[in-house]
Amino acid sequence: MEESVRGRRREALLDIKGLRIHYATEDGVVRAVNGLDLRVDRGETLGLVGETGAGKTTAALGIMRLVPDPPGKIVGGEIWLDGEDIVRASDAAMRRIRGNRASMIFQDPMTSLTPVIPVREQIAEVILLHEKRTGAEALAKAEEMLMKVGIRRERAGDYPHQFSGGMRQRVVIAIALACNPELLIADEPTTALDVTIQAQVLELMKALKAEYRTAMLLITHDLGVVADICDTVAIMYAGNIVEYAEKRELYQNPKHPYTIGLFRSLPDIKKDAGRVETGHFADGAVVKRRASLKPIKGSMPDPMDLPPGCPFHPRCEQAMPECAETEPPPIELGGGHVVRCLLYALSGAESAEVV
């Protein structure tokens, strides 16, 4: 985040400053990421949360320098990984970084695996690329990695289609951690899995992250997953971070209207159990039903036509006239809690500080 936040924290492993990523299309320029500021400390797990279309995956691809070019391009900003500016790194330097110092787990494991090569050989390929080992040593380490993620050694020669979705995701995790990266980016790694397998994969990732002391950027729309795994949380909207705080602080004291709206959209079993509404069918019969959730009105703005001022103001219940004209600056509320909202920029609160 900004300097005041940086001074509060430990040593930054990933430090993103003013990142902008655009896609040039026949219909216009898609502003997918707009001045993103973000940091991940060594050993930390940061949850990047937002609706579909917020720019989360594009930001992750930017970190790995995998934005498809054309049509995508990093048009501004800096991405520092352990003191090295990735934006200006050569293609050869990025090939040394990917899979070695930084790895990424994608949503669909089947698209990350080659269907005609046994999984053992796919893991060994990464090891041979980044470590000085013989082929036999690489294959042996590949089998060890499979066993670490809960796959028996006897299955090392199987092909991806012979595994279930959850097992394929375990193979992808083994590939990502094979060279003990400093940073692991997980882009909604459990989206395609059923609930039981999701829990198993998440527990596995937590255990392996602790074992390898790897920092992790977890991209998700599931606030329940964030509560279980993450240390800090960044809420993303229309290509930028609108709120950032330590997990407990954000969950107990959300400030941005969008963040508050996200929490209001979640079902609460304890509260909803005793909250019912009475309705009537056409024949007069009475039915009791649980009160509906309170979703955020409207939808994510078109990244080719973002509204002026605060991009959330057309959906915001607390919007002021200034919100349609002025882009909110990041405001430090204390303790590393940062929010981009004119409610705090214009409040004059002593604890608020523009950063």
Side-chain angles (χ1 to χ4, degrees):
M1 295 299 294
E2 311 301 326
E3 288 300 331
S4 60
V5 181
R6 292 189 187 110
R8 177 186 67 85
R9 306 284 303 284
R10 303 185 304 273
E11 182 183 1
L13 173 64
L14 175 70
D15 201 356
I16 303 174
K17 305 174 183 179
L19 180 64
R20 297 183 182 275
I21 302 176
H22 293 174
Y23 292 94
T25 71
E26 294 180 355
D27 298 322
V29 176
V30 177
R31 292 181 287 165
V33 177
N34 299 297
L36 180 71
D37 291 312
L38 194 66
R39 64 170 284 156
V40 180
D41 288 342
R42 295 183 183 278
E44 177 186 43
T45 298
L46 183 141
L48 185 59
V49 181
E51 294 174 87
T52 299
K56 306 184 300 295
T57 296
T58 296
L61 293 174
I63 295 169
M64 298 297 289
R65 282 272 303 275
L66 290 174
V67 175
D69 183 10
K73 193 174 184 64
I74 297 176
V75 297
E78 304 171 357
I79 305 172
W80 294 89
L81 178 64
D82 197 17
E84 181 174 354
D85 188 357
I86 289 178
V87 173
R88 292 164 181 78
S90 66
D91 291 342
M94 284 308 304
R95 284 192 292 271
R96 291 192 295 270
I97 290 172
R98 294 190 203 104
N100 185 20
R101 294 170 57 193
S103 292
M104 186 167 177
I105 300 172
F106 296 90
Q107 290 186 33
D108 185 359
M110 201 60 183
T111 61
S112 305
L113 298 170
T114 304
V116 296
I117 299 177
V119 296
R120 171 178 52 201
E121 294 181 21
Q122 297 192 49
I123 302 172
E125 182 181 5
V126 177
I127 297 168
L128 286 171
L129 183 63
H130 297 294
E131 297 182 3
K132 293 181 179 180
R133 292 177 182 261
T134 65
E137 290 172 340
L139 289 171
K141 184 176 180 181
E143 292 183 3
E144 292 175 8
M145 291 304 303
L146 285 172
M147 293 179 68
K148 280 187 177 292
V149 297
I151 297 176
R152 302 192 314 274
R153 189 185 299 271
E154 295 79 33
R155 301 209 60 189
D158 287 354
Y159 293 85
H161 73 272
Q162 295 176 285
F163 292 91
S164 66
M167 296 292 273
R168 284 196 292 265
Q169 195 63 289
R170 289 170 182 262
V171 173
V172 172
I173 293 171
I175 293 173
L177 294 175
C179 295
N180 194 13
E182 300 169 273
L183 175 67
L184 178 65
I185 301 174
D187 185 7
E188 307 219 29
T190 61
T191 296
L193 308 177
D194 63 56
V195 175
T196 303
I197 303 302
Q198 280 186 27
Q200 294 176 2
V201 171
L202 289 171
E203 286 301 316
L204 173 66
M205 291 177 64
K206 285 170 63 177
L208 291 174
K209 174 189 173 296
E211 178 180 348
Y212 288 92
R213 298 179 182 177
T214 302
M216 182 163 67
L217 175 61
L218 177 65
I219 298 170
T220 184
H221 61 271
D222 190 332
L223 288 165
V225 170
V226 171
D228 185 38
I229 289 184
C230 299
D231 304 308
T232 50
V233 189
I235 305 296
M236 192 169 186
Y237 186 84
N240 210 338
I241 303 301
V242 296
E243 188 163 7
Y244 170 93
E246 292 186 353
K247 177 178 63 180
R248 183 176 296 275
E249 167 66 14
L250 187 92
Y251 277 63
Q252 294 182 348
N253 193 28
K255 293 296 187 181
H256 196 281
Y258 177 63
T259 309
I260 295 170
L262 288 179
F263 282 110
R264 286 179 178 172
S265 300
L266 295 175
D268 188 318
I269 295 175
K270 293 181 180 179
K271 291 182 180 179
D272 291 346
R275 191 176 68 206
V276 296
E277 295 176 340
T278 301
H280 297 80
F281 288 112
D283 61 1
V286 178
V287 60
K288 289 186 177 181
R289 62 181 182 271
R290 191 169 61 188
S292 60
L293 301 175
K294 187 177 180 181
I296 303 172
K297 68 179 182 179
S299 58
M300 186 74 65
D302 184 350
M304 285 194 296
D305 186 25
L306 293 175
C310 173
F312 186 63
H313 85 263
R315 305 174 67 187
C316 182
E317 295 180 351
Q318 302 182 61
M320 305 175 290
E322 296 89 345
C323 298
E325 302 172 355
T326 305
E327 183 176 348
I331 304 297
E332 165 73 60
L333 301 179
H337 194 157
V338 176
V339 61
R340 287 180 180 268
C341 181
L342 291 180
L343 289 172
Y344 304 95
L346 302 176
S347 68
E350 293 183 2
S351 59
E353 176 187 357
V354 178
V355 294

